[in-house]
Amino acid sequence: MIKFGEWLPDQPDLENKGVTVAENVIPAFEGYRSLNSLGNVSNQATNELKNIFSAKDNSGNVKLFAGDAGKLYEFNAGTSNLDDISKGGGYSLTDSERWRFVQFGTSIIVAGGIGETLQEFTLGTDSAFGDLGGTPPKADFIAVVRDQVWTGNIDEGSGRVPFRVRWSGINNATQWTVGTDQADFQDIPDAGAITGLVGGEYATILMEKAIVRASYVGTPLIYQIDKVETARGCTFSGSVANIGNTIFFLNEDGFYAFDGQQAIPIGAEKVNKFFFEDFNTAFPDKMTSAVDPTNQIVVWSYVSNGNTSGSTPDKLLIYNYAIKRWSIASVSVDLIAPFFTAGYTLEALDNLASNLDSLPAPLDSNLYKGGAFLFGGSVDKKITSFTGQPLSATIETSEFALNKGRHSIVTRSVPYFRNGSVTVQVGARDRQDDAVTFSTANSLTDEGFVQHRSQGRFHRIRMNISGFWDFAQGFDIEGQPLGRR
């Protein structure tokens, strides 16, 4: 069997150790799994959404929030509407700014860039967001580190300080007076602007030219600031996503995973070259990223050079961090984000579709279960989730010579897959500088194989799989040698 190996677009097609195409699939250990299409969760917001966030109150009830350039919303499962819960007067985020949410106890705190005061919503009490109390800075980035709220790339009121972090008092998100309750700030002036901030037991500060770690040590220093990565930083703020202490990001030379001590290359000689040739650098602020722990993948959404719909991201680059393999998908989505469902009653399902056949996911889907994890994003001003029918996919083997130095004819193939419907094409060429010509897509015979008659010196096999498929593994092929001409 020719098993579907790792997708390695940066390597030559001939005798590539993996596959040359892996589109609309999720990498698996012995092949590829299906990637579901997007289904609507909510009705439309006023403008394109700029982030999605879910939180749980002390009773375990889920609240789902979102925001666009002018409003903050709460998802209403009873109507599927995004209810406006903005402060009076609303907001005015720029095209490049995004909302960034954290939960601090029962408070949801949101940063909207240097033009917006930090916003707060208290679960179980508030009906609308309002300005966070105290004198917090305006900020591009926000995180919770131990029991303090951190901000980065901030505006102190007198102007932007892109290399400064500032944090609140202990257990007090409204205490920002420096020197009180261990509230303080730190400038890191020699590593460029802050491009990401990740919390936890320690703070990870991603900057253009370095990665900095801030560890709590108590008074008088409060936090010890160490540059733990100086060879590179994070160039694209939308590329930062984390699972636990592992942070994924994109630098100008490729993709990395930061483990708290060092940045480990994950895209070198695999996808970096492909990505930078495909990535439309005119729209770096459109990039978003998120981790789907259910499928053990981190995903980057971006605008490709082949995009025909303007600035809407049209590609997903997918990395399975458990097995260190990649794939790609052609999916148009304004942003991607993980979240928890708010839960539905049977009556509320009427707001999603007029009948059961029109629902965006099967009735047993996590979409309808309160508190269930979903991976999704936003399309057309709506919250969406990857809970639809599996996307039609294409997987293509590397190029091979059945008989080195001689022409061959491929006569049949046996595709190995689970569920769904498959057609198979054979690509052939005589010389490495020739274009590859693919045969007509043929279906399985009743005997379980696909008939071909493809002649050439070099061949590759393409599987097109659709319907409710869930796994694709590889091929057996049959052929015979011909003359040397």
Side-chain angles (χ1 to χ4, degrees):
M1 182 197 300
I2 300 176
K3 290 186 177 181
F4 290 144
E6 186 176 2
W7 181 53
L8 299 169
D10 287 0
Q11 296 303 308
D13 290 349
L14 181 62
E15 296 186 355
N16 187 314
K17 299 298 183 183
V19 298
T20 55
V21 177
E23 185 173 8
N24 294 349
V25 294
I26 295 174
F29 185 72
E30 286 286 340
Y32 293 89
R33 290 183 281 115
S34 57
L35 173 66
N36 290 339
S37 59
L38 286 163
N40 290 333
V41 174
S42 76
N43 295 326
Q44 283 189 330
T46 302
N47 296 296
E48 178 183 311
L49 293 182
K50 286 182 169 286
N51 216 339
I52 303 164
F53 181 77
S54 57
K56 290 185 179 181
D57 63 20
N58 290 340
S59 299
N61 300 310
V62 173
K63 297 284 188 180
L64 183 56
F65 300 94
D68 63 19
K71 298 177 181 178
L72 287 167
Y73 301 94
E74 181 182 348
F75 173 67
N76 186 330
T79 64
S80 292
N81 290 334
L82 292 172
D83 293 339
D84 182 2
I85 55 170
S86 307
K87 73 173 184 179
Y91 315 98
S92 55
L93 274 66
T94 66
D95 288 344
S96 62
E97 291 177 325
R98 290 194 178 276
W99 292 109
R100 290 181 168 89
F101 297 76
V102 296
Q103 182 170 358
F104 188 70
T106 59
S107 292
I108 308 304
I109 304 174
V110 196
I114 62 168
E116 301 295 340
T117 302
L118 295 186
Q119 296 295 290
E120 181 183 26
F121 181 96
T122 302
L123 296 171
T125 301
D126 288 342
S127 58
F129 276 95
D131 292 349
L132 179 66
T135 56
K138 300 173 181 178
D140 280 338
F141 304 102
I142 188 167
V144 174
V145 182
R146 293 171 59 90
D147 46 11
Q148 293 169 286
V149 177
W150 272 57
T151 58
N153 199 327
I154 65 177
D155 186 338
E156 291 277 28
S158 58
R160 188 184 191 113
V161 189
F163 49 79
R164 177 173 293 175
V165 289
R166 187 174 168 188
W167 55 89
S168 72
I170 289 180
N171 282 322
N172 190 347
T174 62
Q175 175 56 266
W176 294 88
T177 303
V178 172
T180 302
D181 294 338
Q182 301 188 23
D184 208 341
F185 73 94
Q186 178 69 49
D187 288 344
I188 311 168
D190 58 348
I194 294 169
T195 54
L197 183 63
V198 178
E201 280 299 304
Y202 55 85
T204 303
I205 308 160
L206 293 101
M207 307 185 72
E208 291 176 314
K209 300 177 183 178
I211 301 177
V212 177
R213 176 170 169 160
S215 303
Y216 181 79
V217 293
T219 55
L221 291 179
I222 306 175
Y223 282 91
Q224 178 175 314
I225 309 294
D226 297 304
K227 286 184 183 175
V228 292
E229 177 65 66
T230 58
R232 62 191 52 83
C234 172
T235 311
F236 302 93
S237 62
S239 71
V240 179
N242 73 292
I243 176 75
N245 292 327
T246 302
I247 302 170
F248 303 95
F249 68 94
L250 175 64
N251 186 40
E252 59 191 6
D253 66 346
F255 291 93
Y256 290 86
F258 179 72
D259 63 2
Q261 300 296 328
Q262 61 179 333
I264 302 165
I266 59 175
E269 292 298 313
K270 294 184 177 184
V271 301
N272 285 348
K273 184 175 182 292
F274 164 85
F275 172 79
F276 284 114
E277 289 177 353
D278 195 44
F279 177 43
N280 190 330
T281 55
F283 304 105
D285 295 326
K286 291 292 185 177
M287 174 179 285
T288 56
S289 57
V291 170
D292 176 1
T294 302
N295 287 305
Q296 297 181 298
I297 56 175
V298 55
V299 182
W300 289 268
S301 169
Y302 67 95
V303 181
S304 76
N305 282 319
N307 190 0
T308 59
S309 59
S311 62
T312 300
D314 61 317
K315 292 289 183 70
L316 302 178
L317 193 62
I318 301 168
Y319 178 65
N320 186 318
Y321 51 82
I323 60 173
K324 299 179 173 58
R325 291 187 175 184
W326 295 84
S327 65
I328 196 165
S330 294
V331 175
S332 291
V333 59
D334 294 322
L335 66 88
I336 53 174
F339 54 89
F340 292 93
T341 57
Y344 289 85
T345 63
L346 288 175
E347 291 77 12
L349 293 179
D350 291 338
N351 298 305
L352 290 178
S354 58
N355 56 67
L356 291 179
D357 293 336
S358 300
L359 286 172
L363 277 175
D364 60 354
S365 169
N366 282 345
L367 174 61
Y368 312 118
K369 302 172 184 177
F373 175 85
L374 287 180
F375 187 66
S378 175
V379 176
D380 191 26
K381 307 174 188 176
K382 302 175 183 178
I383 298 175
T384 59
S385 63
F386 288 95
T387 51
Q389 180 175 329
L391 292 168
S392 296
T394 302
I395 312 168
E396 190 176 293
T397 69
S398 61
E399 193 166 71
F400 55 88
L402 279 176
N403 294 274
K404 290 186 178 181
R406 303 178 66 177
H407 279 71
S408 301
I409 183 168
V410 174
T411 56
R412 68 168 60 179
S413 64
V414 179
Y416 293 97
F417 64 100
R418 191 167 61 207
N419 301 323
S421 177
V422 158
T423 63
V424 181
Q425 296 171 268
V426 181
R429 58 179 171 176
D430 291 336
R431 304 184 313 179
Q432 285 292 289
D433 58 348
D434 289 340
V436 178
T437 301
F438 279 91
S439 65
T440 302
N442 291 333
S443 302
L444 283 168
T445 66
D446 291 340
E447 290 79 16
F449 61 83
V450 182
Q451 293 180 321
H452 308 286
R453 190 169 182 82
S454 178
Q455 182 176 323
R457 183 172 279 116
F458 306 103
H459 290 90
R460 62 185 74 188
I461 313 293
R462 176 186 291 170
M463 178 186 291
N464 307 298
I465 186 166
S466 60
F468 287 92
W469 73 280
D470 60 0
F471 201 86
Q473 190 172 11
F475 287 101
D476 275 333
I477 61 169
E478 293 182 12
Q480 59 188 42
L482 301 175
R484 293 183 179 273
R485 294 183 60 186

